[in-house]
Amino acid sequence: MKNKIVLLVALFGTLISCSKEKEVYLFSTFREPADKGLFFAYSEDGYHWNDLGGPWLAPEVGAQKVMRDPSVVQGPDGTFHLVWTSSWRGDLGFGYASSKDLIHWSEEQLLPVMTDTSTVNVWAPELFYDDEQDRFIIIWASTIPFKFEKGEEEEKNNHRMYYTTTKDLKSFTETKLFLDPGFSVIDCVIVKRGAKDYVLVLKDNTRRRRDIEVAFGESPLGPWHDISDPFTGFKSEGPTVVKVGEDYLIYYDDYGNMRYGCARTKDFKSFEDISDQVTLPEGHKHGTIFKVKQSVVDALLKQSKIDKGL
């Protein structure tokens, strides 16, 4: 009896230890010219990032077979889901694959989300897990010529945001308009702060702006209102958001200055440029930041050494 009690106590301690396994930030990324595939960087503090190498998955679908803007979300069952831009133009969908460990991946698919054959492009799909309705929301930017008021943009560069939802990444709801702010918009990211409290980080893609702004809503599907003034400079894109302590860090590709930028905020109303306080691997391009268990990063590091023959 005594031995059984000791065994149960040890088992309980092990379960608690496993449940408290340290978490690490992981940043999905790609490298120009985007034909190599998926890369990762990791960080313990959310500010300083280490290269995890790659490619961990080479692009095989789409007209141009590239992998840009890789967005990763881990579902409640532990599966990692990845979507990406598979072509600059010509595709009516985006790439998709899944993995249990970020090392071994499922067969790649091209998810055909746009039915209008005049669609010019499908850019920067972004995954969001809606925990209140147990579903994934996928948003992306597309141009359908002559569908919206053109403004200053060419017809083939007049983007709006679209979305679909899915429970299992196998069957999808009908594609619908996600955001029409009255101007060309791309690179949107949904952030949940609390119940009925969401922020949308977006890129105004008009020629005169090309900067990053925020909007607010009570649902992850909007409607979105009170679009802010820009908090980044000219020629910035590809935002992703991570909460570190009480702060939100918004990383973005500051391509106008040929660097990676970062803004810090607590309320999405006032922003501090902390680009000089963060470090990222050379060649890092925009993707998404998500948390994983330390064991996931350890396995990636081990596999990376094996791949390098170390």
Side-chain angles (χ1 to χ4, degrees):
M1 181 68 178
K2 183 178 180 179
N3 289 339
K4 288 184 177 180
I5 293 174
V6 171
L7 181 61
L8 287 171
V9 170
L11 179 60
F12 183 69
T14 301
L15 289 173
I16 292 177
S17 176
C18 290
S19 66
K20 292 184 178 180
E21 183 180 347
K22 177 182 176 182
E23 288 190 316
V24 183
Y25 300 102
L26 208 58
F27 206 148
S28 61
T29 179
F30 66 100
R31 300 283 189 270
E32 294 288 10
D35 59 348
K36 297 294 188 295
L38 178 65
F39 291 77
F40 289 120
Y42 72 97
S43 172
E44 295 186 356
D45 63 4
Y47 287 79
H48 303 95
W49 298 86
N50 305 290
D51 190 12
L52 262 175
W56 296 98
L57 179 68
E60 297 178 351
V61 297
Q64 296 177 342
K65 292 183 174 57
V66 297
M67 183 179 289
R68 303 181 62 85
D69 323 304
S71 174
V72 179
V73 162
Q74 188 173 21
D77 67 348
T79 301
F80 294 97
H81 300 278
L82 164 70
V83 293
W84 68 90
T85 305
S86 53
S87 295
W88 276 102
R89 288 174 172 78
D91 288 350
L92 296 179
F94 48 77
Y96 167 73
S98 64
S99 174
K100 290 292 187 181
D101 57 7
L102 301 176
I103 298 173
H104 306 93
W105 291 87
S106 68
E107 182 179 354
E108 296 175 31
Q109 302 175 54
L110 184 70
L111 302 182
V113 291
M114 297 298 287
T115 57
D116 190 322
T117 56
S118 66
T119 300
V120 175
N121 60 314
V122 176
W123 280 0
E126 186 79 16
L127 274 164
F128 175 81
Y129 177 66
D130 179 6
D131 59 348
E132 294 189 13
Q133 296 199 34
D134 185 28
R135 62 180 178 177
F136 297 92
I137 299 171
I138 312 175
I139 58 176
W140 67 90
S142 285
T143 294
I144 301 176
F146 307 104
K147 186 174 179 63
F148 298 96
E149 185 176 347
K150 183 171 68 67
E152 62 188 88
E153 301 305 304
E154 298 178 3
E155 286 294 349
K156 293 187 177 181
N157 199 45
N158 193 24
H159 299 82
R160 295 300 186 271
M161 294 295 300
Y162 294 85
Y163 80 94
T164 183
T165 69
T166 176
K167 295 280 190 178
D168 54 11
L169 277 298
K170 295 178 182 178
S171 59
F172 301 85
T173 59
E174 179 185 358
T175 292
K176 295 181 179 180
L177 184 67
F178 177 77
L179 177 65
D180 172 19
F183 55 82
S184 181
V185 59
I186 65 172
D187 291 358
C188 289
V189 177
I190 303 168
V191 180
K192 181 180 182 180
R193 293 192 293 185
K196 295 186 177 181
D197 185 6
Y198 294 84
V199 176
L200 186 70
V201 185
L202 59 102
K203 179 187 178 182
D204 181 334
N205 198 47
T206 54
R207 299 302 84 190
R208 61 188 174 86
R209 298 295 289 266
R210 283 180 277 181
D211 51 36
I212 301 175
E213 306 159 8
V214 298
F216 302 89
E218 296 184 355
S219 159
L221 294 178
W224 304 99
H225 54 81
D226 297 328
I227 296 177
S228 72
D229 292 330
F231 61 88
T232 66
F234 183 55
K235 291 187 176 180
S236 49
E237 65 183 10
T240 188
V241 184
V242 60
K243 190 174 185 184
V244 180
E246 296 301 312
D247 297 319
Y248 291 91
L249 305 185
I250 307 173
Y251 282 87
Y252 59 93
D253 196 337
D254 187 7
Y255 67 99
N257 292 312
M258 300 182 66
R259 66 169 187 168
Y260 221 84
C262 187
R264 182 165 57 199
T265 183
K266 291 184 183 296
D267 56 10
F268 291 93
K269 293 180 180 179
S270 60
F271 301 87
E272 177 188 6
D273 185 353
I274 60 165
S275 301
D276 60 349
Q277 299 179 35
V278 301
T279 55
L280 295 110
E282 184 178 356
H284 183 92
K285 299 294 291 183
H286 49 273
T288 54
I289 299 174
F290 55 104
K291 281 186 174 182
V292 299
K293 292 181 178 180
Q294 178 69 57
S295 57
V296 173
V297 173
D298 290 342
L300 286 165
L301 286 167
K302 181 179 179 180
Q303 186 62 46
S304 182
K305 288 182 179 180
I306 292 173
D307 293 343
K308 293 176 182 177
L310 300 177

